[in-house]
Amino acid sequence: MIERNPDALTLVVASKHLSSWSLRPYLALAHTGQPFGEVVIALGQADTPETLRKHSPSGKVPVLLHGALTIWDSLAICEYLAEQFPEARLWPEAREARAWARAATAEMHAGFQALRANMTMDLRNTKPGQGRAPGVAEDIARITSLWTQCRARFGQGGPFLFGAFSIADAFYAPVVTRFVTYGVELDAGCAAYRDAVLALPAMQAWTRAAQA
């Protein structure tokens, strides 16, 4: 049983090599600098559904536990973190950049179904050339175009989509890993962005845990 004291932050995630949804709030939470605990639920086990329901009203992860509060959606978790820890600046400060960042994040949260279905996140394997089902090339083209536009318009202050790290980068981090796993070729600008995400200390910590 998880101790629910008023200040405790606990992130409930699924198997780290597979769960793209879990990676996103992990990166955002790590960026706040706040101490937090983790509960990792292994996928594909006989008791997985029962274990998930113990922590999540939806039966899915990620879930953030903050004191007595339970938040069970990746974007809702990130929005909550942005509100609770404004000093982390999880959204860009400039109005136009913030609007773009929210739109890009929402597009990732709801879209790119072909890519999701055919290039699943897998941090333990490399599968170059696989996953090229109908619709995947179009998803890749849209994502790389979006990255290029964000970087050109707002990326002058750093290596991420809006210069400094934001929730948008947390949401596209699993795509970065997919592009590596499936050997997706990128132009120089997108490759530099990919490498910046992979170099994040939190991303490296997650990857080490996933591969262990």
Side-chain angles (χ1 to χ4, degrees):
M1 179 67 66
I2 297 170
E3 183 181 355
R4 304 297 292 269
N5 72 62
D7 299 318
L9 286 162
T10 302
L11 188 65
V12 184
V13 301
S15 300
K16 289 191 170 184
H17 62 299
L18 299 173
S19 183
S20 59
W21 294 104
S22 298
L23 173 57
R24 296 176 174 116
Y26 173 87
L27 293 177
L29 182 52
H31 185 73
T32 68
Q34 298 295 317
F36 65 96
E38 285 185 89
V39 174
V40 181
I41 298 174
L43 296 173
Q45 306 301 307
D47 63 345
T48 297
E50 180 183 356
T51 305
L52 288 170
R53 284 193 295 272
K54 289 179 181 177
H55 298 285
S56 171
S58 67
K60 299 177 181 179
V61 290
V63 171
L64 179 68
L65 309 176
H66 191 192
L69 180 63
T70 299
I71 309 166
W72 63 92
D73 173 84
S74 59
L75 183 52
I77 292 169
C78 291
E79 290 279 15
Y80 178 76
L81 294 172
E83 291 178 355
Q84 290 297 303
F85 308 109
E87 67 280 2
R89 295 177 176 151
L90 282 169
W91 289 119
E93 292 187 74
R95 179 181 60 86
E96 185 178 354
R98 189 167 62 253
W100 270 59
R102 288 184 186 276
T105 299
E107 186 172 357
M108 183 70 250
H109 193 50
F112 307 118
Q113 297 303 320
L115 180 77
R116 293 181 192 277
N118 296 285
M119 288 187 173
T120 57
M121 192 172 94
D122 186 347
L123 294 178
R124 292 183 182 171
N125 295 288
T126 56
K127 306 173 184 180
Q130 297 184 34
R132 304 304 176 103
V136 172
E138 290 80 1
D139 281 355
I140 292 171
R142 170 57 187 159
I143 289 167
T144 54
S145 174
L146 182 61
W147 289 359
T148 300
Q149 292 177 61
C150 291
R151 290 284 304 136
R153 191 160 183 170
F154 304 107
Q156 293 75 22
F160 299 105
L161 293 178
F162 297 88
F165 177 86
S166 74
I167 290 170
D169 301 298
F171 265 71
Y172 283 92
V175 175
V176 165
T177 75
R178 287 174 163 101
F179 286 177
V180 173
T181 297
Y182 294 90
V184 175
E185 294 186 7
L186 301 172
D187 64 26
C190 288
Y193 172 66
R194 173 200 64 201
D195 294 345
V197 172
L198 293 174
L200 283 165
M203 184 73 236
Q204 293 182 346
W206 178 279
T207 301
R208 287 192 299 270
Q211 294 175 346

